[in-house]
PDB file of all heavy atoms in Angstrom:
ATOM      1  N   ALA A 276       8.697 -17.262   8.308  1.00  0.00           N
ATOM      2  CA  ALA A 276       8.785 -16.230   7.238  1.00  0.00           C
ATOM      3  C   ALA A 276      10.229 -15.662   7.151  1.00  0.00           C
ATOM      4  O   ALA A 276      11.159 -16.472   7.083  1.00  0.00           O
ATOM      5  CB  ALA A 276       7.767 -15.170   7.490  1.00  0.00           C
ATOM      6  N   ASP A 277      10.352 -14.311   7.278  1.00  0.00           N
ATOM      7  CA  ASP A 277      11.707 -13.740   7.027  1.00  0.00           C
ATOM      8  C   ASP A 277      12.667 -13.960   8.184  1.00  0.00           C
ATOM      9  O   ASP A 277      13.904 -13.717   8.170  1.00  0.00           O
ATOM     10  CB  ASP A 277      11.487 -12.202   6.810  1.00  0.00           C
ATOM     11  CG  ASP A 277      10.819 -11.904   5.544  1.00  0.00           C
ATOM     12  OD1 ASP A 277      10.866 -12.717   4.600  1.00  0.00           O
ATOM     13  OD2 ASP A 277      10.419 -10.704   5.481  1.00  0.00           O
ATOM     14  N   ASN A 278      12.165 -14.527   9.360  1.00  0.00           N
ATOM     15  CA  ASN A 278      12.985 -14.831  10.388  1.00  0.00           C
ATOM     16  C   ASN A 278      13.653 -16.226  10.364  1.00  0.00           C
ATOM     17  O   ASN A 278      14.368 -16.537  11.400  1.00  0.00           O
ATOM     18  CB  ASN A 278      12.257 -14.609  11.683  1.00  0.00           C
ATOM     19  CG  ASN A 278      12.094 -13.206  12.287  1.00  0.00           C
ATOM     20  OD1 ASN A 278      13.038 -12.435  11.985  1.00  0.00           O
ATOM     21  ND2 ASN A 278      10.928 -12.881  12.720  1.00  0.00           N
ATOM     22  N   LEU A 279      13.375 -16.978   9.280  1.00  0.00           N
ATOM     23  CA  LEU A 279      14.164 -18.162   9.016  1.00  0.00           C
ATOM     24  C   LEU A 279      15.442 -17.868   8.367  1.00  0.00           C
ATOM     25  O   LEU A 279      15.363 -17.697   7.125  1.00  0.00           O
ATOM     26  CB  LEU A 279      13.315 -19.187   8.334  1.00  0.00           C
ATOM     27  CG  LEU A 279      13.823 -20.592   8.206  1.00  0.00           C
ATOM     28  CD1 LEU A 279      13.954 -21.258   9.535  1.00  0.00           C
ATOM     29  CD2 LEU A 279      12.952 -21.472   7.233  1.00  0.00           C
ATOM     30  N   GLU A 280      16.498 -17.843   8.942  1.00  0.00           N
ATOM     31  CA  GLU A 280      17.769 -17.416   8.361  1.00  0.00           C
ATOM     32  C   GLU A 280      18.283 -18.477   7.530  1.00  0.00           C
ATOM     33  O   GLU A 280      18.872 -18.140   6.350  1.00  0.00           O
ATOM     34  CB  GLU A 280      18.849 -17.025   9.455  1.00  0.00           C
ATOM     35  CG  GLU A 280      20.098 -16.672   8.857  1.00  0.00           C
ATOM     36  CD  GLU A 280      21.145 -16.291   9.991  1.00  0.00           C
ATOM     37  OE1 GLU A 280      21.001 -15.133  10.612  1.00  0.00           O
ATOM     38  OE2 GLU A 280      22.175 -17.072  10.322  1.00  0.00           O
ATOM     39  N   LYS A 281      18.294 -19.708   7.868  1.00  0.00           N
ATOM     40  CA  LYS A 281      18.783 -20.819   6.971  1.00  0.00           C
ATOM     41  C   LYS A 281      17.970 -22.054   7.097  1.00  0.00           C
ATOM     42  O   LYS A 281      17.388 -22.356   8.169  1.00  0.00           O
ATOM     43  CB  LYS A 281      20.226 -21.071   7.372  1.00  0.00           C
ATOM     44  CG  LYS A 281      21.300 -20.171   6.909  1.00  0.00           C
ATOM     45  CD  LYS A 281      22.656 -20.805   7.244  1.00  0.00           C
ATOM     46  CE  LYS A 281      23.692 -19.856   6.536  1.00  0.00           C
ATOM     47  NZ  LYS A 281      23.752 -19.799   5.084  1.00  0.00           N
ATOM     48  N   MET A 282      17.792 -22.822   6.075  1.00  0.00           N
ATOM     49  CA  MET A 282      17.264 -24.045   6.007  1.00  0.00           C
ATOM     50  C   MET A 282      18.262 -25.036   5.455  1.00  0.00           C
ATOM     51  O   MET A 282      18.656 -24.776   4.214  1.00  0.00           O
ATOM     52  CB  MET A 282      15.843 -24.163   5.317  1.00  0.00           C
ATOM     53  CG  MET A 282      15.265 -25.588   5.336  1.00  0.00           C
ATOM     54  SD  MET A 282      13.760 -25.593   4.416  1.00  0.00           S
ATOM     55  CE  MET A 282      12.657 -24.520   5.402  1.00  0.00           C
ATOM     56  N   ILE A 283      18.791 -26.002   6.138  1.00  0.00           N
ATOM     57  CA  ILE A 283      19.813 -26.930   5.753  1.00  0.00           C
ATOM     58  C   ILE A 283      19.250 -28.330   5.621  1.00  0.00           C
ATOM     59  O   ILE A 283      18.707 -28.857   6.566  1.00  0.00           O
ATOM     60  CB  ILE A 283      21.010 -26.758   6.653  1.00  0.00           C
ATOM     61  CG1 ILE A 283      21.553 -25.352   6.719  1.00  0.00           C
ATOM     62  CG2 ILE A 283      22.202 -27.793   6.199  1.00  0.00           C
ATOM     63  CD1 ILE A 283      22.629 -25.182   7.688  1.00  0.00           C
ATOM     64  N   PHE A 284      19.456 -28.968   4.478  1.00  0.00           N
ATOM     65  CA  PHE A 284      19.002 -30.293   4.276  1.00  0.00           C
ATOM     66  C   PHE A 284      20.124 -31.338   4.498  1.00  0.00           C
ATOM     67  O   PHE A 284      21.126 -31.271   3.908  1.00  0.00           O
ATOM     68  CB  PHE A 284      18.379 -30.551   2.878  1.00  0.00           C
ATOM     69  CG  PHE A 284      17.523 -29.458   2.404  1.00  0.00           C
ATOM     70  CD1 PHE A 284      17.680 -28.645   1.261  1.00  0.00           C
ATOM     71  CD2 PHE A 284      16.337 -29.248   3.204  1.00  0.00           C
ATOM     72  CE1 PHE A 284      16.813 -27.672   0.944  1.00  0.00           C
ATOM     73  CE2 PHE A 284      15.348 -28.236   2.885  1.00  0.00           C
ATOM     74  CZ  PHE A 284      15.679 -27.439   1.713  1.00  0.00           C
ATOM     75  N   ILE A 285      19.843 -32.292   5.357  1.00  0.00           N
ATOM     76  CA  ILE A 285      20.894 -33.345   5.729  1.00  0.00           C
ATOM     77  C   ILE A 285      20.487 -34.703   5.289  1.00  0.00           C
ATOM     78  O   ILE A 285      21.302 -35.438   4.754  1.00  0.00           O
ATOM     79  CB  ILE A 285      21.114 -33.363   7.217  1.00  0.00           C
ATOM     80  CG1 ILE A 285      21.671 -31.904   7.612  1.00  0.00           C
ATOM     81  CG2 ILE A 285      22.207 -34.437   7.562  1.00  0.00           C
ATOM     82  CD1 ILE A 285      20.612 -31.168   8.295  1.00  0.00           C
ATOM     83  N   GLY A 286      19.191 -35.100   5.419  1.00  0.00           N
ATOM     84  CA  GLY A 286      18.860 -36.504   5.211  1.00  0.00           C
ATOM     85  C   GLY A 286      17.318 -36.590   4.786  1.00  0.00           C
ATOM     86  O   GLY A 286      16.660 -35.617   4.699  1.00  0.00           O
ATOM     87  N   ALA A 287      16.866 -37.799   4.775  1.00  0.00           N
ATOM     88  CA  ALA A 287      15.441 -38.139   4.405  1.00  0.00           C
ATOM     89  C   ALA A 287      14.967 -39.318   5.157  1.00  0.00           C
ATOM     90  O   ALA A 287      14.748 -40.374   4.606  1.00  0.00           O
ATOM     91  CB  ALA A 287      15.336 -38.315   2.880  1.00  0.00           C
ATOM     92  N   THR A 288      14.781 -39.131   6.551  1.00  0.00           N
ATOM     93  CA  THR A 288      14.297 -40.254   7.277  1.00  0.00           C
ATOM     94  C   THR A 288      12.821 -40.602   7.104  1.00  0.00           C
ATOM     95  O   THR A 288      12.419 -41.707   7.285  1.00  0.00           O
ATOM     96  CB  THR A 288      14.424 -39.976   8.786  1.00  0.00           C
ATOM     97  OG1 THR A 288      13.596 -38.795   9.099  1.00  0.00           O
ATOM     98  CG2 THR A 288      15.957 -39.679   9.209  1.00  0.00           C
ATOM     99  N   ASP A 289      12.053 -39.606   6.501  1.00  0.00           N
ATOM    100  CA  ASP A 289      10.637 -39.909   6.333  1.00  0.00           C
ATOM    101  C   ASP A 289      10.552 -40.368   4.854  1.00  0.00           C
ATOM    102  O   ASP A 289      10.333 -39.707   3.880  1.00  0.00           O
ATOM    103  CB  ASP A 289       9.856 -38.638   6.501  1.00  0.00           C
ATOM    104  CG  ASP A 289       8.365 -38.788   6.426  1.00  0.00           C
ATOM    105  OD1 ASP A 289       7.854 -39.787   5.909  1.00  0.00           O
ATOM    106  OD2 ASP A 289       7.602 -37.997   6.896  1.00  0.00           O
ATOM    107  N   VAL A 290      10.660 -41.728   4.853  1.00  0.00           N
ATOM    108  CA  VAL A 290      10.590 -42.452   3.423  1.00  0.00           C
ATOM    109  C   VAL A 290       9.319 -42.209   2.646  1.00  0.00           C
ATOM    110  O   VAL A 290       9.224 -41.876   1.576  1.00  0.00           O
ATOM    111  CB  VAL A 290      10.880 -43.948   3.573  1.00  0.00           C
ATOM    112  CG1 VAL A 290      10.729 -44.633   2.189  1.00  0.00           C
ATOM    113  CG2 VAL A 290      12.289 -44.188   4.191  1.00  0.00           C
ATOM    114  N   LYS A 291       8.109 -42.220   3.409  1.00  0.00           N
ATOM    115  CA  LYS A 291       6.831 -42.143   2.735  1.00  0.00           C
ATOM    116  C   LYS A 291       6.636 -40.635   2.228  1.00  0.00           C
ATOM    117  O   LYS A 291       6.047 -40.564   1.154  1.00  0.00           O
ATOM    118  CB  LYS A 291       5.724 -42.392   3.749  1.00  0.00           C
ATOM    119  CG  LYS A 291       5.561 -43.800   4.179  1.00  0.00           C
ATOM    120  CD  LYS A 291       4.463 -44.007   5.140  1.00  0.00           C
ATOM    121  CE  LYS A 291       4.350 -45.619   5.437  1.00  0.00           C
ATOM    122  NZ  LYS A 291       3.257 -45.789   6.476  1.00  0.00           N
ATOM    123  N   ALA A 292       7.205 -39.666   2.846  1.00  0.00           N
ATOM    124  CA  ALA A 292       7.186 -38.299   2.400  1.00  0.00           C
ATOM    125  C   ALA A 292       7.811 -38.069   0.936  1.00  0.00           C
ATOM    126  O   ALA A 292       7.462 -37.275   0.326  1.00  0.00           O
ATOM    127  CB  ALA A 292       7.778 -37.418   3.402  1.00  0.00           C
ATOM    128  N   GLN A 293       8.781 -39.084   0.664  1.00  0.00           N
ATOM    129  CA  GLN A 293       9.550 -38.966  -0.645  1.00  0.00           C
ATOM    130  C   GLN A 293       8.491 -39.272  -1.806  1.00  0.00           C
ATOM    131  O   GLN A 293       8.869 -38.922  -2.894  1.00  0.00           O
ATOM    132  CB  GLN A 293      10.625 -39.724  -0.687  1.00  0.00           C
ATOM    133  CG  GLN A 293      11.644 -39.632   0.473  1.00  0.00           C
ATOM    134  CD  GLN A 293      11.953 -38.242   0.817  1.00  0.00           C
ATOM    135  OE1 GLN A 293      12.405 -37.469  -0.070  1.00  0.00           O
ATOM    136  NE2 GLN A 293      11.735 -37.688   1.932  1.00  0.00           N
ATOM    137  N   GLU A 294       7.356 -39.894  -1.519  1.00  0.00           N
ATOM    138  CA  GLU A 294       6.446 -40.357  -2.630  1.00  0.00           C
ATOM    139  C   GLU A 294       5.609 -39.289  -3.188  1.00  0.00           C
ATOM    140  O   GLU A 294       5.002 -39.410  -4.113  1.00  0.00           O
ATOM    141  CB  GLU A 294       5.668 -41.517  -2.102  1.00  0.00           C
ATOM    142  CG  GLU A 294       6.359 -42.626  -1.592  1.00  0.00           C
ATOM    143  CD  GLU A 294       5.666 -43.852  -0.904  1.00  0.00           C
ATOM    144  OE1 GLU A 294       4.416 -43.604  -0.781  1.00  0.00           O
ATOM    145  OE2 GLU A 294       6.178 -44.794  -0.488  1.00  0.00           O
ATOM    146  N   ASN A 295       5.360 -38.172  -2.306  1.00  0.00           N
ATOM    147  CA  ASN A 295       4.523 -37.155  -2.691  1.00  0.00           C
ATOM    148  C   ASN A 295       5.112 -35.734  -2.461  1.00  0.00           C
ATOM    149  O   ASN A 295       5.004 -35.167  -1.326  1.00  0.00           O
ATOM    150  CB  ASN A 295       3.234 -37.208  -1.848  1.00  0.00           C
ATOM    151  CG  ASN A 295       2.268 -36.233  -2.224  1.00  0.00           C
ATOM    152  OD1 ASN A 295       2.263 -35.720  -3.348  1.00  0.00           O
ATOM    153  ND2 ASN A 295       1.363 -35.964  -1.301  1.00  0.00           N
ATOM    154  N   LYS A 296       5.834 -35.319  -3.515  1.00  0.00           N
ATOM    155  CA  LYS A 296       6.581 -34.043  -3.308  1.00  0.00           C
ATOM    156  C   LYS A 296       5.544 -32.920  -3.782  1.00  0.00           C
ATOM    157  O   LYS A 296       5.248 -32.806  -4.947  1.00  0.00           O
ATOM    158  CB  LYS A 296       7.807 -34.039  -4.271  1.00  0.00           C
ATOM    159  CG  LYS A 296       8.876 -34.984  -3.880  1.00  0.00           C
ATOM    160  CD  LYS A 296       9.631 -34.455  -2.605  1.00  0.00           C
ATOM    161  CE  LYS A 296      10.846 -35.234  -2.333  1.00  0.00           C
ATOM    162  NZ  LYS A 296      11.529 -34.849  -1.059  1.00  0.00           N
ATOM    163  N   MET A 297       5.225 -32.026  -2.769  1.00  0.00           N
ATOM    164  CA  MET A 297       4.340 -30.949  -3.040  1.00  0.00           C
ATOM    165  C   MET A 297       5.155 -29.758  -3.738  1.00  0.00           C
ATOM    166  O   MET A 297       6.426 -29.681  -3.726  1.00  0.00           O
ATOM    167  CB  MET A 297       3.774 -30.407  -1.782  1.00  0.00           C
ATOM    168  CG  MET A 297       4.721 -29.876  -0.720  1.00  0.00           C
ATOM    169  SD  MET A 297       3.908 -29.451   0.761  1.00  0.00           S
ATOM    170  CE  MET A 297       2.922 -27.962   0.164  1.00  0.00           C
ATOM    171  N   ALA A 298       4.424 -28.951  -4.404  1.00  0.00           N
ATOM    172  CA  ALA A 298       5.051 -27.790  -5.039  1.00  0.00           C
ATOM    173  C   ALA A 298       5.531 -26.671  -4.059  1.00  0.00           C
ATOM    174  O   ALA A 298       5.056 -26.603  -2.884  1.00  0.00           O
ATOM    175  CB  ALA A 298       4.097 -27.144  -6.073  1.00  0.00           C
ATOM    176  N   GLY A 299       6.410 -25.879  -4.548  1.00  0.00           N
ATOM    177  CA  GLY A 299       6.897 -24.768  -3.684  1.00  0.00           C
ATOM    178  C   GLY A 299       8.380 -24.844  -3.455  1.00  0.00           C
ATOM    179  O   GLY A 299       9.009 -25.990  -3.425  1.00  0.00           O
ATOM    180  N   ASP A 300       8.985 -23.713  -3.487  1.00  0.00           N
ATOM    181  CA  ASP A 300      10.484 -23.662  -3.381  1.00  0.00           C
ATOM    182  C   ASP A 300      10.829 -23.331  -1.928  1.00  0.00           C
ATOM    183  O   ASP A 300      10.532 -22.304  -1.368  1.00  0.00           O
ATOM    184  CB  ASP A 300      10.954 -22.436  -4.284  1.00  0.00           C
ATOM    185  CG  ASP A 300      12.476 -22.375  -4.202  1.00  0.00           C
ATOM    186  OD1 ASP A 300      13.234 -23.284  -3.701  1.00  0.00           O
ATOM    187  OD2 ASP A 300      13.034 -21.288  -4.510  1.00  0.00           O
ATOM    188  N   LEU A 301      11.578 -24.245  -1.356  1.00  0.00           N
ATOM    189  CA  LEU A 301      12.087 -24.144   0.033  1.00  0.00           C
ATOM    190  C   LEU A 301      13.200 -23.108   0.184  1.00  0.00           C
ATOM    191  O   LEU A 301      13.433 -22.558   1.215  1.00  0.00           O
ATOM    192  CB  LEU A 301      12.398 -25.487   0.564  1.00  0.00           C
ATOM    193  CG  LEU A 301      11.320 -26.462   0.807  1.00  0.00           C
ATOM    194  CD1 LEU A 301      11.830 -27.889   1.114  1.00  0.00           C
ATOM    195  CD2 LEU A 301      10.471 -26.018   1.982  1.00  0.00           C
TER     196      LEU A 301
END
């Protein structure tokens, strides 16, 4: 929750996860 100061995106090693993008703002 509020204690997550930063989320930084670097790559996409999970190829299968790219096929099903769920809703929601990260």
Side-chain angles (χ1 to χ4, degrees):
D277 291 341
N278 281 323
L279 187 63
E280 181 177 283
K281 280 187 177 294
M282 182 180 290
I283 301 171
F284 310 121
I285 301 102
T288 60
D289 190 339
V290 177
K291 291 183 179 179
Q293 309 311 306
E294 300 171 1
N295 184 23
K296 293 288 190 181
M297 62 183 293
D300 181 18
L301 290 169

